[in-house]
C-alpha cells in the first residue's frame, strides 16, 4: 500500500538517487531528499519532492527524520571516489561509516520500517578468485572506500539484530546511465562520452584490459523497488554477471558517437580492481530481479542524454 507512505532518499540529487526519487514519485510515494550537493546537482532535484540541503554527517539529520517520519529510506549518499578514499581515508570513513551510523540511529529513533542500502560489489570483493563472484565471496577490499561501505553494511546488520530496523543491501556493479556526472572519476562511461562529444581523446588508466560489470541505472532502480517488500536482512549483488573491458567500452562508444581518434593512456590508479563481475543469483531468487538492459542500447541512451548536457571543456 503506497498511499500516504513516505520515502527518504539520501543522495537524492545524485546520479542514481535522482532516478530513485523520480520512480518513487511516479509510484505515489511522498518523497524527501537529503543531499549536501557535494557531488549531486540541484538541477537533478525533482521539485515534487521535499529537499533538505544537508549532509548525513550532521546531527540535525535526526530533526529531519522526526519531522518527515519516513517509512522507508533509500540510502544512496556516499563518498564514492576510490582514489579520494586512498588519499583521504578519514573523510571517506566520516561520510560512509559515521554518516551511515547517524542515519541508522535516526531511523531507529523515528520508527523507519526499512532501509535499502546502496553498497558496492566490485570494491568489496577486491581481486576475487572466482568470476562472476557470488554474494558470499570473501570481503577483501583493496581501497578504504570498499572497506567503509562494508563496515556500514555491518552496522545495518547490527541495527537489525539489536533494534529491529530492517534492511536490504544491494551491492552494485559499475552503474551507468543518464545523469552520471562526466566531471568525476566514478563513471568511466560518462567521462568517455563527454570527452568524445567535445572532440577530445579519453584517458584510459592502465592498459584498458581491466574488466568490469556494467549495469544500467534503470535496472538498479528496479532492484531497489523490488527490495521494498523483499530481501529482508540480505546483502546481494546487483549487476549483469558479464565482463566488459574498458577498451571494449571505448570501442562501443566510438562507434555510437562517430569518434575517430584513439584513446590516451595513463598509469593505473591505486585501489582500482582489475577484473570483477558479479553473480546475481541471490537477487534473482530473493527479489525476482534480473537485468534487462542490453549494454549497447544502454550506452546509446546515455550518449543521447549527454549530448545536451556536457559542459564544454569536460574531459
Amino acid at each position: 500500500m503506497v498511499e500516504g507512505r513516505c520515502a527518504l532518499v539520501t543522495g537524492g540529487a545524485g546520479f542514481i538517487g535522482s532516478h530513485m526519487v523520480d520512480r518513487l514519485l511516479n509510484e505515489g510515494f511522498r518523497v524527501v531528499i537529503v543531499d549536501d550537493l557535494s557531488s549531486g546537482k540541484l538541477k537533478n532535484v525533482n521539485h515534487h519532492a521535499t529537499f533538505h540541503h544537508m549532509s548525513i554527517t550532521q546531527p540535525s539529520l535526526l530533526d529531519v527524520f522526526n519531522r518527515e517520519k519516513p517509512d522507508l529510506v533509500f540510502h544512496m549518499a556516499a563518498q564514492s571516489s576510490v582514489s579520494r578514499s586512498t588519499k583521504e581515508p578519514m573523510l571517506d570513513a566520516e561520510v560512509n561509516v559515521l554518516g551511515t551510523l547517524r542515519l541508522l540511529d535516526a531511523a531507529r529513533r523515528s520508527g523507519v520500517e526499512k532501509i535499502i542500502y546502496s553498497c558496492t560489489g566490485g570494491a568489496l570483493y577486491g581481486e576475487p578468485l572466482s568470476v562472476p563472484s557470488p554474494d558470499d565471496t570473501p570481503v577483501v577490499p583493496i581501497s578504504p572506500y570498499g572497506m567503509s561501505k562494508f563496515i556500514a553494511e555491518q552496522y545495518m546488520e547490527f541495527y537489525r539484530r539489536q533494534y529491529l530496523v530492517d534492511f536490504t543491501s544491494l551491492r552494485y556493479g559499475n552503474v551507468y546511465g543518464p545523469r552520471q556526472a562526466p566531471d568525476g572519476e566514478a563513471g568511466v562511461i560518462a567521462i568517455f562520452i563527454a570527452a568524445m562529444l567535445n572532440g577530445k581523446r579519453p584517458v584510459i588508466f592502465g592498459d584498458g584490459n581491466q574488466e568490469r560489470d556494467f549495469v544500467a541505472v534503470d535496472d538498479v532502480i528496479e532492484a531497489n523497488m523490488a527490495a521494498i517488500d523483499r530481501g529482508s536482512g540480505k546483502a546481494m549483488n546487483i549487476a549483469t554477471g558479464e565482463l566488459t573491458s574498458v577498451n571494449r567500452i571505448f570501442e562501443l562508444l566510438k562507434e555510437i558517437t562517430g569518434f575517430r581518434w584513439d584513446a590516451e593512456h595513463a598509469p593505473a590508479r591505486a585501489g582500482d580492481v582489475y577484473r570483477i563481475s558479479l553473480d546475481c543469483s541471490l537477487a534473482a531468487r530473493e527479489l525476482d530481479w534480473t537485468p534487462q538492459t542490453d549494454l549497447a542500447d544502454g550506452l546509446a541512451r546515455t550518449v543521447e542524454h549527454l549530448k545536451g548536457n556536457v559542459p564544454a571543456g569536460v574531459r
Side-chain angles (χ1 to χ4, degrees):
M1 182 79 175
V2 169
E3 187 177 351
R5 297 189 85 194
C6 176
L8 187 147
V9 182
T10 68
F15 161 43
I16 304 173
S18 63
H19 285 279
M20 193 74 244
V21 169
D22 291 350
R23 177 61 183 275
L24 290 165
L25 287 167
N26 287 339
E27 295 290 336
F29 284 88
R30 180 171 69 86
V31 180
V32 177
I33 297 169
V34 170
D35 199 305
D36 65 359
L37 299 181
S38 58
S39 58
K41 304 286 193 296
L42 197 57
K43 68 179 181 180
N44 289 340
V45 174
N46 192 310
H47 68 274
H48 293 293
T50 301
F51 176 53
H52 294 275
H53 183 192
M54 65 181 300
S55 168
I56 59 171
T57 64
Q58 292 177 229
S60 52
L61 184 66
L62 177 59
D63 297 334
V64 172
F65 273 71
N66 286 334
R67 187 182 319 136
E68 302 290 357
K69 299 291 184 188
D71 302 288
L72 300 167
V73 173
F74 294 83
H75 183 27
M76 297 179 163
Q79 191 301 111
S80 59
S81 165
V82 170
S83 65
R84 189 173 187 185
S85 78
T86 64
K87 296 168 187 170
E88 301 179 75
M90 298 292 284
L91 170 69
D92 182 77
E94 181 181 351
V95 177
N96 294 347
V97 179
L98 296 181
T100 297
L101 186 54
R102 191 177 294 283
L103 177 139
L104 281 165
D105 203 53
R108 173 178 75 90
R109 293 176 185 276
S110 61
V112 167
E113 296 171 14
K114 187 175 187 180
I115 298 171
I116 295 97
Y117 175 49
S118 290
C119 196
T120 173
L124 235 61
Y125 304 137
E127 301 287 0
L129 296 177
S130 62
V131 175
S133 305
D135 309 84
D136 60 356
T137 298
V139 174
V140 283
I142 61 173
S143 68
Y145 168 68
M147 181 63 74
S148 67
K149 293 295 282 186
F150 180 64
I151 292 170
E153 188 179 85
Q154 293 304 293
Y155 268 115
M156 296 266 174
E157 172 59 35
F158 173 78
Y159 267 71
R160 182 172 182 270
R161 271 196 332 268
Q162 197 74 8
Y163 304 116
L164 305 180
V165 178
D166 197 10
F167 81 97
T168 298
S169 180
L170 304 179
R171 296 173 172 178
Y172 303 153
N174 283 60
V175 187
Y176 73 94
R179 298 182 196 161
Q180 189 166 38
D183 52 358
E185 65 148 47
V188 63
I189 288 172
I191 293 168
F192 280 11
I193 294 171
M196 290 174 173
L197 293 179
N198 278 330
K200 297 182 177 180
R201 295 169 63 192
V203 176
I204 293 176
F205 294 94
D207 59 15
N209 292 320
Q210 59 266 44
E211 294 174 300
R212 300 282 184 272
D213 191 331
F214 294 95
V215 59
V217 67
D218 290 347
D219 290 334
V220 167
I221 297 306
E222 289 300 328
N224 275 269
M225 292 302 297
I228 291 174
D229 300 311
R230 286 174 280 191
S232 178
K234 300 284 199 313
M236 60 196 77
N237 296 331
I238 300 297
T240 68
E242 298 177 3
L243 286 165
T244 305
S245 73
V246 173
N247 286 333
R248 176 61 178 155
I249 291 294
F250 174 73
E251 291 301 326
L252 285 169
L253 290 174
K254 196 173 177 182
E255 184 177 334
I256 293 167
T257 61
F259 190 73
R260 293 175 293 174
W261 296 276
D262 293 331
E264 294 180 6
H265 282 265
R269 296 182 302 197
D272 278 353
V273 176
Y274 193 77
R275 187 172 187 263
I276 184 76
S277 72
L278 306 176
D279 182 325
C280 300
S281 301
L282 185 59
R285 293 195 304 271
E286 291 286 335
L287 305 181
D288 192 25
W289 176 90
T290 54
Q292 301 296 313
T293 305
D294 174 77
L295 179 60
D297 291 342
L299 292 177
R301 287 204 297 271
T302 307
V303 168
E304 196 58 36
H305 171 80
L306 277 171
K307 278 181 179 177
N309 294 278
V310 177
V314 169
R315 182 174 183 165

